[in-house]
Amino acid sequence: MIINADFHIHGKYSMATSKNMSPITIAPQAKLKGLDLVGTGDALHGKWLQIIEETTEETSDGIFSLKDGLTDPEEGSKEETKEVSQNIEEKGNLESKFILTTEVEDMKRVHHVIIFPSLESAYNLRGKLKGNMDADGRPRVRMKGDEIMELAHDQGCIIGPAHAFTPWTSIYKAYDSVCDCYGKKPDFLELGLSADTDMADMIEELQDIPFLTNSDAHSAWPHRLGREFNKMELKELSFDGIKHSILNKKIHSNYGFDPRLGKYHKTACSKCYKKYEIEDAIKMNWRCPCGGKIKKGVDYRIYELSKWKKPHHPQHRPPYIHILPLAEIISLTYSKGVTTVFVQKIWKEMVHKFGNEINVLIHAPLEEIEEVDPKLKIVINAFRTGTLHIESGGGGKYGEIMLEHNTLDNYI
Ligand SMILES: [Zn+2]
Ligand SMILES: [Zn+2]
């Protein structure tokens, strides 16, 4: 069985997260993105666990499905969910399933992703970690990485570093080796939006570690949820199936951003986002004249950690397929905001016609896209042929896609 899975999102109790982030909204939205399985996020938070128990049921070991007949979402998401629910009635059960996951921050401010086998294991780990598990969906734990790993493994969980190369809260911000954090190799490593396999396979110690690509979404907007995901080969859809697939390196492919689009790809100021060459950043003592801190880019951090001049892909490493959120492509095509009704309407039309977003982006014949939207076809073609221009992100600002000059001339 082949599935698409995104293991790292945040629920509504995490800081700076949409109030709509609850299972009832996430499940249908994730399916429209083409995800079969999505992490619950925040599975150590008491109220979030309660919501998961109220709105979902365990349909196979460690896998949770939305209960039937749920139509009363949180205030503010009613319209959207109603619309999606209507689609569900039309098209049968179109909801993604869930697996229990969380992100935690350790005492060195390193972020880790944990995937749980059961509700019981989540409640158990919640009782054992030192810190207030209910202060935020992503709790701060007063323990070191190796201690957290040991407790997680005792509960049958798997664990690895989140967005491993970013300049604020990642393992390679705090350490030069993953083993310095865990005392051994983690079960997986999450690449984060600012890195891909070509970059991470520059680092020798990562050769035998499977990579995950997850969205870290804080909202269910289609340009956030599932913007990175893993295509996986499973024996069965269960926690054991997932664990086996990850530990035995059966990930079929990683789908994710061109790393230049990530927020931390280049070295840049975290306040005014001006990009800096590394020598200049050092000379200026990592202080921008605007008063902001200059943060080291993921590209340079990986260069520092690498002895090699080019990537060494181990045999088990799956292909990494660069994708962009379709909503951003539509937004670019029509110069309208990505969350506007206009863009969302076209997004839904395309997704309904072709089944899901990945089909529109990668598989749908251009002639068929042209029949629906000739202007959009030109930009999707530019995406497929790699002729979209990308302005790299850095310092906390996402990279931007731009059209080459003249691309849409016939339409202006
Ligand atoms: Zn994080
Ligand atoms: Zn600045």
Side-chain angles (χ1 to χ4, degrees):
M1 169 197 295
I2 301 268
I3 65 153
N4 294 333
D6 173 2
F7 295 104
H8 182 178
I9 68 161
H10 290 281
K12 60 182 179 179
Y13 298 109
S14 277
M15 215 163 57
T17 298
S18 160
K19 291 284 158 281
N20 298 344
M21 282 301 259
S22 62
I24 206 163
T25 305
I26 297 165
Q29 283 290 357
K31 194 68 191 186
L32 287 175
K33 279 293 289 196
L35 299 174
D36 305 292
L37 186 69
V38 61
T40 58
D42 303 357
L44 294 167
H45 190 279
K47 281 190 179 162
W48 188 240
L49 280 168
Q50 200 183 328
I51 289 181
I52 292 165
E53 290 200 74
E54 281 165 11
T55 56
T56 70
E57 55 197 346
E58 193 168 2
T59 42
S60 56
D61 284 348
I63 305 295
F64 297 78
S65 306
L66 213 55
K67 284 181 183 165
D68 284 338
L70 286 177
T71 53
D72 187 29
E74 292 295 308
E75 202 68 43
S77 69
K78 273 188 180 135
E79 284 313 305
E80 179 67 9
T81 310
K82 208 164 88 191
E83 211 171 317
V84 176
S85 310
Q86 280 162 1
N87 294 329
I88 291 166
E89 277 159 28
E90 280 163 29
K91 301 183 118 189
N93 185 11
L94 282 180
E95 295 156 354
S96 164
K97 296 182 192 309
F98 293 96
I99 186 165
L100 295 162
T101 65
T102 194
E103 183 181 35
V104 298
E105 179 172 308
D106 72 17
M107 60 191 288
K108 290 213 142 202
R109 296 203 64 205
V110 175
H111 287 187
H112 311 268
V113 173
I114 302 173
I115 307 176
F116 297 84
S118 63
L119 274 167
E120 190 192 359
S121 64
Y123 281 107
N124 286 346
L125 191 60
R126 183 180 143 81
K128 291 192 161 36
L129 293 174
K130 291 181 197 151
N132 180 355
M133 295 299 115
D134 295 330
D136 190 277
R138 177 185 56 218
R140 284 186 163 185
V141 178
R142 295 189 311 275
M143 300 169 99
K144 294 195 313 210
D146 56 343
E147 297 171 305
I148 296 171
M149 177 183 262
E150 196 182 334
L151 290 176
H153 280 166
D154 285 349
Q155 294 302 325
C157 304
I158 53 175
I159 178 170
H163 42 78
F165 312 101
T166 52
W168 294 100
T169 51
S170 80
I171 193 162
Y172 282 117
K173 161 74 167 71
Y175 303 96
D176 286 334
S177 163
V178 288
C179 295
D180 293 343
C181 175
Y182 296 118
K184 57 180 167 181
K185 298 275 176 93
D187 299 318
F188 56 81
L189 174 139
E190 183 188 79
L191 291 173
L193 304 178
S194 300
D196 64 6
T197 303
D198 276 351
M199 294 172 71
D201 273 337
M202 298 287 288
I203 299 171
E204 192 171 7
E205 70 168 4
L206 301 183
Q207 292 280 290
D208 57 350
I209 300 177
F211 295 155
L212 293 183
T213 32
N214 300 316
S215 71
D216 202 350
H218 287 59
S219 79
W221 288 111
H223 66 296
R224 297 282 190 247
L225 191 62
R227 59 190 164 175
E228 301 211 335
F229 65 89
N230 313 276
K231 186 177 276 254
M232 307 173 75
E233 205 179 310
L234 302 182
K235 281 188 177 158
E236 53 171 29
L237 184 55
S238 65
F239 171 79
D240 282 342
I242 296 288
K243 180 176 176 178
H244 184 271
S245 174
I246 294 174
L247 297 187
N248 291 289
K249 306 182 180 75
K250 298 282 185 203
I251 295 163
H252 189 280
S253 31
N254 293 108
Y255 283 76
F257 274 16
D258 183 309
R260 292 173 297 171
L261 289 170
K263 284 200 270 193
Y264 298 107
H265 185 67
K266 287 282 176 196
T267 299
C269 171
S270 60
K271 199 168 161 199
C272 72
Y273 306 120
K274 181 176 159 50
K275 281 175 225 155
Y276 285 93
E277 292 302 326
I278 204 77
E279 305 76 38
D280 296 331
I282 293 166
K283 242 185 268 167
M284 297 166 83
N285 206 17
W286 302 93
R287 282 278 164 199
C288 180
C290 82
K293 272 187 193 165
I294 301 171
K295 300 309 286 184
K296 192 184 286 176
V298 165
D299 68 337
Y300 192 78
R301 183 63 184 130
I302 288 176
Y303 169 80
E304 282 181 323
L305 293 163
S306 176
K307 290 190 294 228
W308 297 329
K309 293 246 169 352
K310 60 179 181 51
H312 289 215
H313 296 301
Q315 227 195 338
H316 68 85
R317 189 74 69 214
Y320 187 105
I321 297 158
H322 289 134
I323 51 169
L324 279 177
L326 175 60
E328 291 199 3
I329 292 182
I330 299 168
S331 161
L332 180 71
T333 308
Y334 289 99
S335 306
K336 303 247 196 235
V338 72
T339 59
T340 56
V341 174
F342 180 88
V343 167
Q344 295 303 312
K345 185 170 164 284
I346 298 179
W347 183 82
K348 276 189 196 130
E349 276 168 23
M350 299 303 288
V351 165
H352 285 152
K353 169 132 176 88
F354 296 103
N356 62 49
E357 187 167 325
I358 296 306
N359 286 343
V360 184
L361 283 175
I362 296 173
H363 305 299
L366 286 171
E367 312 82 70
E368 289 183 29
I369 296 174
E370 188 169 24
E371 281 168 26
V372 189
D373 191 327
K375 199 171 171 181
L376 184 60
K377 172 230 151 183
I378 292 173
V379 183
I380 288 181
N381 185 44
F383 160 70
R384 289 188 187 175
T385 53
T387 54
L388 286 176
H389 177 72
I390 294 176
E391 183 66 38
S392 297
K397 183 171 179 276
Y398 287 111
E400 280 178 70
I401 46 171
M402 291 168 196
L403 289 172
E404 291 289 342
H405 196 53
N406 294 341
T407 307
L408 286 172
D409 263 8
N410 289 342
Y411 288 88
I412 294 166

